[in-house]
Amino acid sequence: MPKGHSIGMISLGCPKASVDSEQILTRLRSEGYSISSSYQGADLVVVNTCGFIDAAVAESLEAIGEALAENGKVIVTGCLGAKGDIVRQTHPRVLAVTGPHAAQEVLAAVHQHLPPPFDGIDDPFVNLVPPQGVRLTPQHYAYLKISEGCNHRCTFCIIPSLRGDLVSRPIGEVLREAEILAEAGVRELLIISQDTSAYGVDIKYRTGFWNGRPLKTRLHELCSALGELGIWVRLHYVYPYPSVDQLVPLMAEGAILPYLDVPFQHASPRILKLMQRPASSENNLERIQAWRAVCPDITIRSTFITGFPGETEAEFEELLSFLEAAQLDRVGAFAYSPVAGATANDLPGALPEEVREERRRLLMEFQEDISTRRLEEKIGRSLEVLVDEVDEEGAIARSQGDAPEIDGLVYITDGQDLEVGQFARVQVTDCDVHDLYALLDQE
Ligand code: SF4
């Protein structure tokens, strides 16, 4: 067998970019390239970049510079690659630049500089790729991307100009991938896209097939089918459209996790309109109450932007009142950041950075008590958790209300004998602002 060249991969940015990296790595492996975890061991390095906010642009440019200095042969892909000439202007020595979800172009660029040793895809004896592909997440959870792009035009966001309009993956293909992941030992699927609730809109909810069964390409149908796999299914980036109400009974029945990541971004109708947010005219408080009436255990996570251009003191107060009334479980906040190319930058009433940042700090401080109270309500309860890490001090797990990397953890002090990727039942004994403390349930 010819010796394969080795490729290094630096993957920056959001989970959607990680999925792109996984696809590139999977295809490289299937063609016989090996994957190197060091610059020195690699014949070439692919840097998957993020171009969302200025800090991400700077981080991506720095990573490209480091890869050039340490290795010398660099191909750039991802969102920053779609932002004009910035990569080539800063680093003229890069071998190629592509935009996001451009596995084909990345592969073509790799072939040009390092010809593939063989085409493993056609040869089952040399196919080096596990059926579930190459993943960057731990063995027991995986991101499942159901669509690309976005039909909205939120004024603070440049993703549609980077990634284009919504393109939903066929439902049969998504479910097949989910099945393969579950068979490979994945215990939690994190459903991601730019706008999960819009799944199938672009193809008019076309009927697809999974194991011979007809299914419409729509989120409700997808979630009930995923519920049959018997593993955790967690929804991210869901907008509060009326259609989301139909998903909540699936959560109450246990088909999918009682967890919704809904980026509300603001509560003032005027600001939401200026942001051009999807579902901005919905009454979100009523909607949240209705969800809780159907599924009392639902965990709701959201993100908010403070200091949007023109945001008045009163509108910021309105946002805090919303938080008080909504009693959300988890909240992230960003001070408004004028991303180059976003139309919101042209709105009147830009606020100074100190004000945007101070409001972010105030919001997080305000929410801290609410999040803590929500966690305190879990003390004394028995919960199902999924184990992420085990060492001599016990186990670190997550409850159904905790998404990996963004939410809290459950520390199980007597969990030394548990195994990573195992489900366990615990009794919650204590909490702090983010995390729960628990003992194994003896019943
Ligand atoms: S919904 Fe809005 S914020 Fe989200 S990707 Fe689309 S345009 Fe950007």
Side-chain angles (χ1 to χ4, degrees):
M1 187 190 294
K3 184 191 170 296
H5 293 295
S6 194
I7 312 289
M9 164 73 82
I10 310 289
S11 189
L12 304 168
C14 62
K16 283 154 278 206
S18 300
V19 174
D20 285 352
S21 296
E22 288 173 351
Q23 276 167 2
I24 294 167
L25 288 172
T26 300
R27 295 193 47 189
L28 287 168
R29 285 289 281 143
S30 73
E31 292 187 356
Y33 293 93
S34 60
I35 309 299
S36 169
S37 56
S38 71
Y39 289 124
Q40 287 68 32
D43 297 305
L44 181 154
V45 176
V46 177
V47 183
N48 190 358
T49 57
C50 174
F52 188 44
I53 54 171
D54 293 348
V57 171
E59 187 194 9
S60 295
L61 289 173
E62 202 178 303
I64 298 166
E66 186 182 295
L68 279 169
E70 298 284 331
N71 181 281
K73 281 190 167 172
V74 176
I75 290 171
V76 176
T77 184
C79 288
L80 187 60
K83 278 182 113 176
D85 277 344
I86 182 164
V87 174
R88 283 208 180 278
Q89 275 165 7
T90 320
H91 296 297
R93 283 173 54 219
V94 296
L95 300 175
V97 182
T98 83
H101 51 276
Q104 194 55 42
E105 283 106 304
V106 173
L107 266 286
V110 172
H111 294 163
Q112 203 187 331
H113 297 280
L114 300 173
F118 54 79
D119 183 356
I121 292 173
D122 294 336
D123 186 343
F125 297 106
V126 292
N127 193 340
L128 305 168
V129 184
Q132 73 277 21
V134 177
R135 286 185 290 116
L136 298 170
T137 46
Q139 207 67 25
H140 60 286
Y141 66 82
Y143 293 100
L144 182 63
K145 183 148 68 169
I146 60 170
S147 62
E148 257 309 338
C150 180
N151 285 346
H152 301 292
R153 295 294 180 262
C154 300
T155 52
F156 56 80
C157 176
I158 53 164
I159 284 176
S161 65
L162 296 176
R163 294 190 167 237
D165 280 341
L166 179 79
V167 179
S168 300
R169 290 180 65 198
I171 189 161
E173 185 185 305
V174 173
L175 285 166
R176 183 72 201 122
E177 184 177 336
E179 243 176 348
I180 291 171
L181 288 167
E183 281 160 14
V186 164
R187 291 289 155 261
E188 176 176 6
L189 287 174
L190 304 139
I191 308 302
I192 56 164
S193 67
Q194 305 296 343
D195 177 1
T196 298
S197 22
Y199 179 59
V201 167
D202 54 315
I203 47 174
K204 302 197 169 54
Y205 307 117
R206 184 194 299 147
T207 300
F209 290 88
W210 178 46
N211 294 335
R213 196 164 106 200
L215 285 172
K216 281 201 179 295
T217 307
R218 191 162 42 197
L219 191 57
H220 186 269
E221 279 81 348
L222 177 67
C223 288
S224 24
L226 287 170
E228 294 172 24
L229 298 177
I231 57 176
W232 281 8
V233 176
R234 191 184 296 283
L235 299 183
H236 286 284
Y237 315 118
V238 174
Y239 292 111
Y241 291 111
S243 62
V244 173
D245 297 355
Q246 294 157 20
L247 300 175
V248 182
L250 292 177
M251 297 180 184
E253 288 161 19
I256 57 173
L257 288 181
Y259 181 97
L260 267 185
D261 173 9
V262 195
F264 289 118
Q265 306 299 21
H266 213 282
S268 147
R270 191 186 77 91
I271 297 289
L272 285 169
K273 211 159 157 219
L274 285 176
M275 289 178 166
Q276 288 185 27
R277 287 297 288 164
S280 62
S281 57
E282 298 296 329
N283 185 329
N284 291 333
L285 270 184
E286 267 179 23
R287 182 134 273 130
I288 291 168
Q289 277 153 11
W291 293 341
R292 289 204 174 117
V294 176
C295 183
D297 269 343
I298 192 168
T299 295
I300 304 173
R301 142 170 282 277
S302 191
T303 46
F304 294 90
I305 294 174
T306 59
F308 190 75
E311 182 191 65
T312 62
E313 224 10 275
E315 283 161 340
F316 177 63
E317 289 294 329
E318 200 175 341
L319 176 50
L320 297 185
S321 309
F322 172 82
L323 289 178
E324 181 62 46
Q327 295 284 303
L328 302 174
D329 298 271
R330 306 280 190 188
V331 164
F334 301 93
Y336 175 73
S337 158
V339 178
T343 51
N345 300 343
D346 304 329
L347 290 170
L351 295 174
E353 198 182 338
E354 310 79 73
V355 176
R356 293 182 255 143
E357 188 47 49
E358 175 62 2
R359 288 184 185 173
R360 189 199 68 81
R361 194 189 61 73
L362 285 171
L363 186 152
M364 289 311 286
E365 205 176 283
F366 186 84
Q367 174 65 30
E368 216 172 88
D369 286 347
I370 300 172
S371 293
T372 311
R373 277 203 301 276
R374 301 283 301 166
L375 285 183
E376 278 168 357
E377 285 166 17
K378 299 190 176 170
I379 296 175
R381 286 185 58 184
S382 166
L383 299 180
E384 183 184 45
V385 297
L386 179 57
V387 178
D388 280 341
E389 276 177 57
V390 181
D391 63 21
E392 64 282 0
E393 287 174 29
I396 301 177
R398 285 175 297 103
S399 75
Q400 299 194 343
D402 301 305
E405 287 164 44
I406 50 174
D407 292 324
L409 299 167
V410 182
Y411 290 92
I412 312 167
T413 37
D414 60 349
Q416 288 82 353
D417 294 334
L418 293 170
E419 277 175 29
V420 172
Q422 178 188 344
F423 288 114
R425 278 215 86 84
V426 298
Q427 190 84 24
V428 181
T429 53
D430 201 359
C431 76
D432 56 29
V433 190
H434 303 289
D435 303 320
L436 294 172
Y437 297 84
L439 292 169
L440 286 173
D441 210 335
Q442 299 306 335
E443 281 168 32

Short mmCIF file of all heavy atoms in Angstrom, two decimals, residues 25-86:
data_model
loop_
_atom_site.label_atom_id
_atom_site.label_comp_id
_atom_site.label_asym_id
_atom_site.label_seq_id
_atom_site.Cartn_x
_atom_site.Cartn_y
_atom_site.Cartn_z
N LEU A 25 -12.14 15.81 7.04
CA LEU A 25 -11.26 14.77 7.58
C LEU A 25 -11.71 13.38 7.13
O LEU A 25 -10.90 12.53 6.77
CB LEU A 25 -11.26 14.83 9.11
CG LEU A 25 -10.51 16.02 9.72
CD1 LEU A 25 -10.73 16.08 11.22
CD2 LEU A 25 -9.01 15.93 9.43
N THR A 26 -13.02 13.17 7.14
CA THR A 26 -13.55 11.87 6.72
C THR A 26 -13.15 11.58 5.28
O THR A 26 -12.69 10.48 4.94
CB THR A 26 -15.10 11.86 6.86
OG1 THR A 26 -15.42 12.11 8.21
CG2 THR A 26 -15.69 10.53 6.43
N ARG A 27 -13.29 12.58 4.43
CA ARG A 27 -12.97 12.34 3.02
C ARG A 27 -11.47 12.17 2.82
O ARG A 27 -11.04 11.36 2.00
CB ARG A 27 -13.54 13.47 2.17
CG ARG A 27 -15.07 13.40 2.27
CD ARG A 27 -15.77 14.23 1.27
NE ARG A 27 -15.28 14.08 -0.07
CZ ARG A 27 -15.66 14.87 -1.07
NH1 ARG A 27 -16.54 15.82 -0.84
NH2 ARG A 27 -15.18 14.71 -2.27
N LEU A 28 -10.66 12.91 3.58
CA LEU A 28 -9.21 12.74 3.47
C LEU A 28 -8.82 11.33 3.88
O LEU A 28 -8.02 10.67 3.21
CB LEU A 28 -8.49 13.76 4.36
CG LEU A 28 -8.49 15.22 3.88
CD1 LEU A 28 -8.01 16.15 4.98
CD2 LEU A 28 -7.60 15.37 2.64
N ARG A 29 -9.41 10.84 4.98
CA ARG A 29 -9.08 9.49 5.45
C ARG A 29 -9.50 8.45 4.42
O ARG A 29 -8.80 7.49 4.16
CB ARG A 29 -9.80 9.19 6.79
CG ARG A 29 -9.19 9.88 7.98
CD ARG A 29 -7.84 9.29 8.36
NE ARG A 29 -7.92 8.06 9.11
CZ ARG A 29 -7.09 7.04 9.00
NH1 ARG A 29 -6.11 7.11 8.12
NH2 ARG A 29 -7.22 5.97 9.74
N SER A 30 -10.68 8.67 3.81
CA SER A 30 -11.18 7.68 2.86
C SER A 30 -10.30 7.62 1.62
O SER A 30 -10.30 6.63 0.90
CB SER A 30 -12.63 7.97 2.48
OG SER A 30 -12.67 9.10 1.63
N GLU A 31 -9.54 8.69 1.39
CA GLU A 31 -8.64 8.68 0.23
C GLU A 31 -7.23 8.22 0.59
O GLU A 31 -6.33 8.26 -0.24
CB GLU A 31 -8.59 10.09 -0.39
CG GLU A 31 -9.91 10.47 -1.02
CD GLU A 31 -9.83 11.78 -1.78
OE1 GLU A 31 -8.77 12.42 -1.73
OE2 GLU A 31 -10.83 12.14 -2.40
N GLY A 32 -7.04 7.85 1.85
CA GLY A 32 -5.75 7.28 2.24
C GLY A 32 -4.78 8.25 2.89
O GLY A 32 -3.66 7.87 3.23
N TYR A 33 -5.18 9.51 3.07
CA TYR A 33 -4.32 10.43 3.80
C TYR A 33 -4.39 10.07 5.28
O TYR A 33 -5.43 9.62 5.76
CB TYR A 33 -4.80 11.88 3.64
CG TYR A 33 -4.69 12.42 2.23
CD1 TYR A 33 -5.76 12.34 1.35
CD2 TYR A 33 -3.51 13.02 1.80
CE1 TYR A 33 -5.68 12.83 0.06
CE2 TYR A 33 -3.41 13.52 0.51
CZ TYR A 33 -4.49 13.43 -0.36
OH TYR A 33 -4.39 13.92 -1.63
N SER A 34 -3.31 10.30 6.03
CA SER A 34 -3.43 10.14 7.47
C SER A 34 -3.59 11.52 8.10
O SER A 34 -3.34 12.54 7.45
CB SER A 34 -2.21 9.40 8.03
OG SER A 34 -1.05 10.13 7.75
N ILE A 35 -4.04 11.54 9.34
CA ILE A 35 -4.31 12.81 10.00
C ILE A 35 -3.24 13.02 11.06
O ILE A 35 -2.99 12.14 11.88
CB ILE A 35 -5.71 12.81 10.68
CG1 ILE A 35 -6.79 12.36 9.69
CG2 ILE A 35 -6.04 14.18 11.27
CD1 ILE A 35 -6.96 13.22 8.46
N SER A 36 -2.62 14.19 11.04
CA SER A 36 -1.56 14.47 12.01
C SER A 36 -2.05 15.47 13.05
O SER A 36 -2.76 16.41 12.72
CB SER A 36 -0.35 15.06 11.29
OG SER A 36 0.57 15.54 12.24
N SER A 37 -1.65 15.25 14.30
CA SER A 37 -2.07 16.20 15.33
C SER A 37 -0.98 17.22 15.62
O SER A 37 -1.09 18.03 16.52
CB SER A 37 -2.45 15.45 16.61
OG SER A 37 -1.35 14.67 17.01
N SER A 38 0.12 17.18 14.86
CA SER A 38 1.16 18.19 15.08
C SER A 38 1.55 18.84 13.75
O SER A 38 1.39 18.23 12.69
CB SER A 38 2.41 17.55 15.70
OG SER A 38 3.05 16.73 14.74
N TYR A 39 2.04 20.07 13.83
CA TYR A 39 2.50 20.75 12.62
C TYR A 39 3.66 19.99 12.00
O TYR A 39 3.75 19.84 10.78
CB TYR A 39 2.99 22.16 12.96
CG TYR A 39 1.90 23.13 13.35
CD1 TYR A 39 1.94 23.80 14.56
CD2 TYR A 39 0.85 23.41 12.48
CE1 TYR A 39 0.96 24.72 14.91
CE2 TYR A 39 -0.13 24.31 12.82
CZ TYR A 39 -0.07 24.97 14.04
OH TYR A 39 -1.05 25.86 14.37
N GLN A 40 4.56 19.48 12.86
CA GLN A 40 5.77 18.84 12.36
C GLN A 40 5.45 17.54 11.63
O GLN A 40 6.10 17.19 10.64
CB GLN A 40 6.75 18.57 13.52
CG GLN A 40 7.43 19.82 14.06
CD GLN A 40 6.46 20.75 14.78
OE1 GLN A 40 5.50 20.30 15.40
NE2 GLN A 40 6.69 22.06 14.68
N GLY A 41 4.42 16.82 12.12
CA GLY A 41 4.09 15.53 11.51
C GLY A 41 3.25 15.66 10.25
O GLY A 41 2.97 14.68 9.57
N ALA A 42 2.81 16.87 9.93
CA ALA A 42 1.90 17.05 8.79
C ALA A 42 2.66 17.49 7.55
O ALA A 42 3.62 18.25 7.63
CB ALA A 42 0.84 18.09 9.14
N ASP A 43 2.20 17.00 6.37
CA ASP A 43 2.78 17.47 5.11
C ASP A 43 2.08 18.75 4.65
O ASP A 43 2.57 19.46 3.77
CB ASP A 43 2.62 16.40 4.03
CG ASP A 43 3.37 15.13 4.40
OD1 ASP A 43 4.58 15.24 4.65
OD2 ASP A 43 2.74 14.06 4.48
N LEU A 44 0.92 19.01 5.23
CA LEU A 44 0.13 20.18 4.83
C LEU A 44 -0.92 20.40 5.94
O LEU A 44 -1.34 19.44 6.59
CB LEU A 44 -0.54 19.87 3.50
CG LEU A 44 -1.43 20.88 2.79
CD1 LEU A 44 -1.41 20.57 1.29
CD2 LEU A 44 -2.86 20.85 3.28
N VAL A 45 -1.30 21.65 6.15
CA VAL A 45 -2.28 21.94 7.21
C VAL A 45 -3.49 22.64 6.61
O VAL A 45 -3.35 23.57 5.81
CB VAL A 45 -1.65 22.83 8.31
CG1 VAL A 45 -2.69 23.20 9.37
CG2 VAL A 45 -0.45 22.15 8.95
N VAL A 46 -4.70 22.17 6.99
CA VAL A 46 -5.93 22.87 6.59
C VAL A 46 -6.40 23.67 7.80
O VAL A 46 -6.50 23.13 8.91
CB VAL A 46 -7.04 21.86 6.19
CG1 VAL A 46 -8.34 22.59 5.85
CG2 VAL A 46 -6.58 21.02 5.01
N VAL A 47 -6.65 24.97 7.61
CA VAL A 47 -7.18 25.78 8.72
C VAL A 47 -8.63 26.14 8.39
O VAL A 47 -8.89 26.82 7.39
CB VAL A 47 -6.34 27.07 8.93
CG1 VAL A 47 -6.88 27.86 10.13
CG2 VAL A 47 -4.87 26.74 9.14
N ASN A 48 -9.56 25.65 9.22
CA ASN A 48 -10.99 25.98 9.03
C ASN A 48 -11.29 27.20 9.91
O ASN A 48 -11.22 27.12 11.14
CB ASN A 48 -11.86 24.78 9.41
CG ASN A 48 -13.31 25.00 9.01
OD1 ASN A 48 -13.66 26.06 8.47
ND2 ASN A 48 -14.15 24.03 9.27
N THR A 49 -11.63 28.31 9.29
CA THR A 49 -11.67 29.59 10.00
C THR A 49 -13.10 30.01 10.34
O THR A 49 -14.06 29.51 9.80
CB THR A 49 -11.09 30.69 9.09
OG1 THR A 49 -11.85 30.69 7.87
CG2 THR A 49 -9.63 30.44 8.79
N CYS A 50 -13.17 31.02 11.21
CA CYS A 50 -14.45 31.65 11.55
C CYS A 50 -14.33 33.14 11.23
O CYS A 50 -13.29 33.74 11.45
CB CYS A 50 -14.73 31.46 13.04
SG CYS A 50 -16.19 32.33 13.61
N GLY A 51 -15.40 33.71 10.67
CA GLY A 51 -15.32 35.14 10.32
C GLY A 51 -16.45 35.92 10.93
O GLY A 51 -16.82 36.98 10.46
N PHE A 52 -17.06 35.37 12.02
CA PHE A 52 -18.31 35.92 12.51
C PHE A 52 -18.13 37.30 13.15
O PHE A 52 -18.79 38.25 12.78
CB PHE A 52 -18.94 34.93 13.49
CG PHE A 52 -20.32 35.33 13.90
CD1 PHE A 52 -21.25 35.80 12.97
CD2 PHE A 52 -20.71 35.27 15.23
CE1 PHE A 52 -22.52 36.16 13.35
CE2 PHE A 52 -21.99 35.64 15.61
CZ PHE A 52 -22.89 36.09 14.68
N ILE A 53 -17.27 37.42 14.13
CA ILE A 53 -17.03 38.73 14.74
C ILE A 53 -15.54 39.07 14.61
O ILE A 53 -14.73 38.19 14.31
CB ILE A 53 -17.46 38.79 16.23
CG1 ILE A 53 -16.78 37.67 17.03
CG2 ILE A 53 -18.96 38.72 16.38
CD1 ILE A 53 -16.99 37.78 18.52
N ASP A 54 -15.22 40.33 14.90
CA ASP A 54 -13.84 40.77 14.66
C ASP A 54 -12.83 39.93 15.44
O ASP A 54 -11.75 39.62 14.95
CB ASP A 54 -13.71 42.25 15.03
CG ASP A 54 -14.53 43.10 14.06
OD1 ASP A 54 -14.98 42.55 13.04
OD2 ASP A 54 -14.75 44.29 14.35
N ALA A 55 -13.20 39.53 16.67
CA ALA A 55 -12.26 38.74 17.48
C ALA A 55 -12.00 37.39 16.81
O ALA A 55 -10.87 36.88 16.83
CB ALA A 55 -12.83 38.52 18.88
N ALA A 56 -13.05 36.82 16.20
CA ALA A 56 -12.89 35.52 15.52
C ALA A 56 -12.01 35.68 14.27
O ALA A 56 -11.21 34.81 13.95
CB ALA A 56 -14.25 34.96 15.14
N VAL A 57 -12.17 36.81 13.57
CA VAL A 57 -11.33 37.08 12.39
C VAL A 57 -9.87 37.13 12.82
O VAL A 57 -8.99 36.50 12.22
CB VAL A 57 -11.76 38.40 11.71
CG1 VAL A 57 -10.77 38.79 10.62
CG2 VAL A 57 -13.17 38.29 11.15
N ALA A 58 -9.61 37.86 13.92
CA ALA A 58 -8.23 38.01 14.39
C ALA A 58 -7.66 36.65 14.79
O ALA A 58 -6.53 36.31 14.45
CB ALA A 58 -8.20 38.99 15.58
N GLU A 59 -8.48 35.84 15.49
CA GLU A 59 -8.01 34.52 15.93
C GLU A 59 -7.69 33.64 14.72
O GLU A 59 -6.68 32.94 14.69
CB GLU A 59 -9.09 33.86 16.79
CG GLU A 59 -8.62 32.56 17.43
CD GLU A 59 -9.76 31.73 18.01
OE1 GLU A 59 -10.95 32.05 17.78
OE2 GLU A 59 -9.44 30.72 18.67
N SER A 60 -8.56 33.72 13.70
CA SER A 60 -8.35 32.89 12.51
C SER A 60 -7.09 33.31 11.77
O SER A 60 -6.29 32.45 11.36
CB SER A 60 -9.55 33.01 11.56
OG SER A 60 -10.70 32.47 12.16
N LEU A 61 -6.88 34.63 11.62
CA LEU A 61 -5.68 35.10 10.91
C LEU A 61 -4.42 34.69 11.68
O LEU A 61 -3.42 34.31 11.08
CB LEU A 61 -5.74 36.62 10.74
CG LEU A 61 -6.78 37.12 9.72
CD1 LEU A 61 -6.88 38.63 9.73
CD2 LEU A 61 -6.45 36.62 8.30
N GLU A 62 -4.53 34.73 13.01
CA GLU A 62 -3.37 34.34 13.83
C GLU A 62 -3.08 32.84 13.65
O GLU A 62 -1.92 32.43 13.52
CB GLU A 62 -3.73 34.62 15.29
CG GLU A 62 -2.52 34.76 16.17
CD GLU A 62 -2.97 35.08 17.59
OE1 GLU A 62 -3.70 36.09 17.77
OE2 GLU A 62 -2.63 34.30 18.48
N ALA A 63 -4.14 32.03 13.61
CA ALA A 63 -3.96 30.58 13.44
C ALA A 63 -3.32 30.27 12.09
O ALA A 63 -2.46 29.39 11.98
CB ALA A 63 -5.30 29.87 13.57
N ILE A 64 -3.72 31.01 11.05
CA ILE A 64 -3.13 30.79 9.71
C ILE A 64 -1.65 31.14 9.76
O ILE A 64 -0.79 30.41 9.25
CB ILE A 64 -3.86 31.65 8.65
CG1 ILE A 64 -5.33 31.24 8.55
CG2 ILE A 64 -3.18 31.51 7.28
CD1 ILE A 64 -6.21 32.24 7.78
N GLY A 65 -1.34 32.27 10.42
CA GLY A 65 0.06 32.72 10.54
C GLY A 65 0.90 31.67 11.25
O GLY A 65 2.01 31.34 10.83
N GLU A 66 0.35 31.11 12.31
CA GLU A 66 1.09 30.10 13.08
C GLU A 66 1.32 28.85 12.24
O GLU A 66 2.43 28.30 12.21
CB GLU A 66 0.29 29.75 14.34
CG GLU A 66 1.03 28.83 15.28
CD GLU A 66 0.18 28.46 16.48
OE1 GLU A 66 -0.13 29.36 17.28
OE2 GLU A 66 -0.15 27.26 16.61
N ALA A 67 0.28 28.42 11.52
CA ALA A 67 0.42 27.22 10.68
C ALA A 67 1.46 27.45 9.58
O ALA A 67 2.25 26.55 9.26
CB ALA A 67 -0.93 26.84 10.08
N LEU A 68 1.48 28.67 9.03
CA LEU A 68 2.48 28.97 7.99
C LEU A 68 3.88 28.94 8.57
O LEU A 68 4.81 28.39 7.98
CB LEU A 68 2.20 30.36 7.38
CG LEU A 68 1.11 30.42 6.31
CD1 LEU A 68 0.74 31.86 6.01
CD2 LEU A 68 1.54 29.69 5.04
N ALA A 69 4.02 29.52 9.77
CA ALA A 69 5.36 29.57 10.39
C ALA A 69 5.82 28.18 10.79
O ALA A 69 6.98 27.82 10.61
CB ALA A 69 5.31 30.48 11.63
N GLU A 70 4.92 27.34 11.30
CA GLU A 70 5.31 26.04 11.83
C GLU A 70 5.38 24.96 10.75
O GLU A 70 6.11 24.00 10.89
CB GLU A 70 4.31 25.58 12.90
CG GLU A 70 4.22 26.48 14.11
CD GLU A 70 5.42 26.29 15.03
OE1 GLU A 70 5.97 25.19 15.06
OE2 GLU A 70 5.79 27.27 15.70
N ASN A 71 4.53 25.10 9.72
CA ASN A 71 4.49 24.04 8.71
C ASN A 71 4.84 24.55 7.32
O ASN A 71 5.64 23.96 6.60
CB ASN A 71 3.10 23.38 8.71
CG ASN A 71 2.99 22.26 7.70
OD1 ASN A 71 2.81 22.51 6.52
ND2 ASN A 71 3.13 21.02 8.16
N GLY A 72 4.22 25.66 6.93
CA GLY A 72 4.56 26.27 5.65
C GLY A 72 3.55 26.01 4.54
O GLY A 72 3.37 26.83 3.66
N LYS A 73 2.89 24.82 4.56
CA LYS A 73 1.91 24.51 3.50
C LYS A 73 0.51 24.60 4.10
O LYS A 73 0.13 23.74 4.91
CB LYS A 73 2.12 23.09 2.97
CG LYS A 73 3.26 22.97 2.00
CD LYS A 73 3.22 21.60 1.37
CE LYS A 73 4.15 21.56 0.17
NZ LYS A 73 4.30 20.23 -0.35
N VAL A 74 -0.24 25.62 3.71
CA VAL A 74 -1.51 25.86 4.39
C VAL A 74 -2.64 26.11 3.39
O VAL A 74 -2.49 26.92 2.46
CB VAL A 74 -1.39 27.07 5.36
CG1 VAL A 74 -2.74 27.39 6.00
CG2 VAL A 74 -0.34 26.80 6.43
N ILE A 75 -3.76 25.41 3.62
CA ILE A 75 -4.99 25.66 2.85
C ILE A 75 -6.02 26.22 3.82
O ILE A 75 -6.19 25.69 4.93
CB ILE A 75 -5.51 24.35 2.22
CG1 ILE A 75 -4.55 23.92 1.10
CG2 ILE A 75 -6.92 24.51 1.67
CD1 ILE A 75 -4.82 22.54 0.54
N VAL A 76 -6.67 27.30 3.43
CA VAL A 76 -7.64 27.95 4.32
C VAL A 76 -9.05 27.68 3.81
O VAL A 76 -9.32 27.81 2.62
CB VAL A 76 -7.37 29.47 4.38
CG1 VAL A 76 -8.43 30.17 5.23
CG2 VAL A 76 -5.97 29.73 4.95
N THR A 77 -9.94 27.31 4.75
CA THR A 77 -11.35 27.14 4.39
C THR A 77 -12.21 27.84 5.45
O THR A 77 -11.68 28.44 6.37
CB THR A 77 -11.69 25.63 4.24
OG1 THR A 77 -13.04 25.50 3.80
CG2 THR A 77 -11.52 24.88 5.54
N GLY A 78 -13.53 27.79 5.29
CA GLY A 78 -14.42 28.33 6.33
C GLY A 78 -14.87 29.76 6.06
O GLY A 78 -14.57 30.35 5.03
N CYS A 79 -15.59 30.31 7.04
CA CYS A 79 -16.29 31.59 6.84
C CYS A 79 -15.36 32.75 6.50
O CYS A 79 -15.72 33.63 5.72
CB CYS A 79 -17.10 31.93 8.08
SG CYS A 79 -18.53 30.85 8.24
N LEU A 80 -14.17 32.76 7.08
CA LEU A 80 -13.27 33.88 6.77
C LEU A 80 -12.84 33.85 5.30
O LEU A 80 -12.64 34.90 4.68
CB LEU A 80 -12.03 33.83 7.68
CG LEU A 80 -11.09 35.03 7.58
CD1 LEU A 80 -11.83 36.31 7.95
CD2 LEU A 80 -9.89 34.84 8.49
N GLY A 81 -12.78 32.65 4.75
CA GLY A 81 -12.40 32.50 3.35
C GLY A 81 -13.40 33.16 2.40
O GLY A 81 -13.08 33.50 1.27
N ALA A 82 -14.66 33.32 2.89
CA ALA A 82 -15.69 33.92 2.04
C ALA A 82 -15.71 35.43 2.18
O ALA A 82 -16.51 36.11 1.55
CB ALA A 82 -17.05 33.34 2.42
N LYS A 83 -14.86 35.97 3.05
CA LYS A 83 -14.89 37.42 3.28
C LYS A 83 -13.82 38.13 2.45
O LYS A 83 -12.74 38.47 2.95
CB LYS A 83 -14.63 37.71 4.76
CG LYS A 83 -15.85 37.58 5.63
CD LYS A 83 -15.53 37.91 7.05
CE LYS A 83 -16.22 39.18 7.50
NZ LYS A 83 -15.99 39.47 8.91
N GLY A 84 -14.09 38.28 1.20
CA GLY A 84 -13.20 39.04 0.32
C GLY A 84 -11.78 38.50 0.31
O GLY A 84 -11.56 37.28 0.39
N ASP A 85 -10.84 39.42 0.25
CA ASP A 85 -9.44 39.03 0.07
C ASP A 85 -8.63 39.03 1.35
O ASP A 85 -7.40 38.94 1.31
CB ASP A 85 -8.78 40.03 -0.90
CG ASP A 85 -9.08 39.64 -2.32
OD1 ASP A 85 -9.51 38.49 -2.52
OD2 ASP A 85 -8.90 40.50 -3.21
N ILE A 86 -9.31 39.15 2.47
CA ILE A 86 -8.59 39.40 3.73
C ILE A 86 -7.51 38.35 4.02
O ILE A 86 -6.42 38.68 4.47
CB ILE A 86 -9.60 39.55 4.90
CG1 ILE A 86 -8.89 39.85 6.20
CG2 ILE A 86 -10.49 38.36 5.06
CD1 ILE A 86 -9.78 40.38 7.28
#
